[in-house]
Amino acid sequence: MALTLYTNKQSRGVVVDWLILDLGIEVERIEIAYGAEMKSAEFLKLNPFGKVPVLVDGDVVIYELDAICAYLADKFSEKGLAPALDDPKRGLYYRWLFFGAGPFAAASDNEHLKVQVAPEQKMFLGYGDYQDTYQALIQGLEQASPYLCGSQFTAADISLGAMIMWQLKMNLLKPHPAIERYVLAIQQRESLKNNPALFAA
């Protein structure tokens, strides 16, 4: 049964578009408009948050961006966008996927919305505060060579790399040599070089 992606070209669904291109697979793409259509009763049956992207594979419905990326990378494991289950790099791959979906996304949202975490509140948050998360990102990228999992480009590079590039473009992320080096590396990926409009303004 064909894969179906519910998305919007002005959403994080563009990250899945990049992954699909890199995997070289066919996916039916259905554009969902913001507003009434995305909050319709029909669409809320797929995603109760009324957000995109949503991937449907037969009876399986997935509506978290990084879950979609992980699912597709494993479904098409022969494409090599996820370390094998018995590969020691699998743990590093998981770490980066969950870092992007968890601490980095949450801390970045706080920073963008000007939500300040008081020092005495940091102990209640798994990521501490934005500065802690930024330092964790830099520390990790300084060890990336050239990708998050070493020489293997993975779905984690697509999901986290896309977020980094978007934040840089919107001036939401402080530049750093480790970030610049990493972004330069992922921008050499043919799927992105051949489709520069994916992350155009």
Side-chain angles (χ1 to χ4, degrees), residues 9-189:
K9 61 185 178 181
Q10 299 297 326
S11 76
R12 292 181 301 165
V14 70
V15 179
V16 184
D17 289 332
W18 180 13
L19 178 59
I20 288 169
L21 287 168
D22 212 282
L23 289 170
I25 60 175
E26 293 293 326
V27 175
E28 180 184 7
R29 192 178 185 282
I30 298 178
E31 190 86 2
I32 301 294
Y34 284 106
E37 186 177 12
M38 206 172 285
K39 301 299 182 182
S40 68
E42 181 180 3
F43 188 71
L44 289 174
K45 291 177 183 177
L46 295 176
N47 183 355
F49 293 107
K51 302 274 189 176
V52 291
V54 175
L55 180 74
V56 177
D57 183 9
D59 294 329
V60 178
V61 179
I62 308 147
Y63 57 74
E64 292 296 333
L65 174 62
D66 290 86
I68 293 171
C69 290
Y71 181 85
L72 288 176
D74 283 344
K75 184 177 179 69
F76 300 95
S77 59
E78 72 279 4
K79 303 292 186 177
L81 287 184
L85 290 175
D86 59 352
D87 188 326
K89 295 193 298 292
R90 186 77 178 193
L92 185 60
Y93 169 70
Y94 282 142
R95 191 189 88 187
W96 280 115
L97 275 177
F98 288 110
F99 174 81
F104 190 52
S108 296
D109 286 344
N110 282 348
E111 185 74 1
H112 179 59
L113 297 173
K114 303 188 185 309
V115 176
Q116 296 298 316
V117 177
E120 65 273 14
Q121 295 175 317
K122 288 175 59 172
M123 64 178 294
F124 300 106
L125 299 174
Y127 54 87
D129 62 11
Y130 180 78
Q131 189 58 35
D132 291 341
T133 307
Y134 180 81
Q135 289 303 323
L137 173 68
I138 298 305
Q139 178 179 313
L141 293 184
E142 286 178 336
Q143 299 168 0
S145 182
Y147 306 122
L148 299 175
C149 293
S151 61
Q152 184 179 7
F153 182 87
T154 70
D157 290 295
I158 289 178
S159 63
L160 183 61
M163 186 184 301
I164 289 172
M165 288 190 294
W166 182 81
Q167 288 195 9
L168 288 172
K169 183 176 70 174
M170 301 301 292
N171 295 314
L172 298 174
L173 184 65
K174 183 172 66 176
H176 186 279
I179 294 175
E180 294 170 7
R181 178 184 56 78
Y182 174 67
V183 168
L184 181 61
I186 63 174
Q187 286 178 335
Q188 303 312 305
R189 193 71 176 176

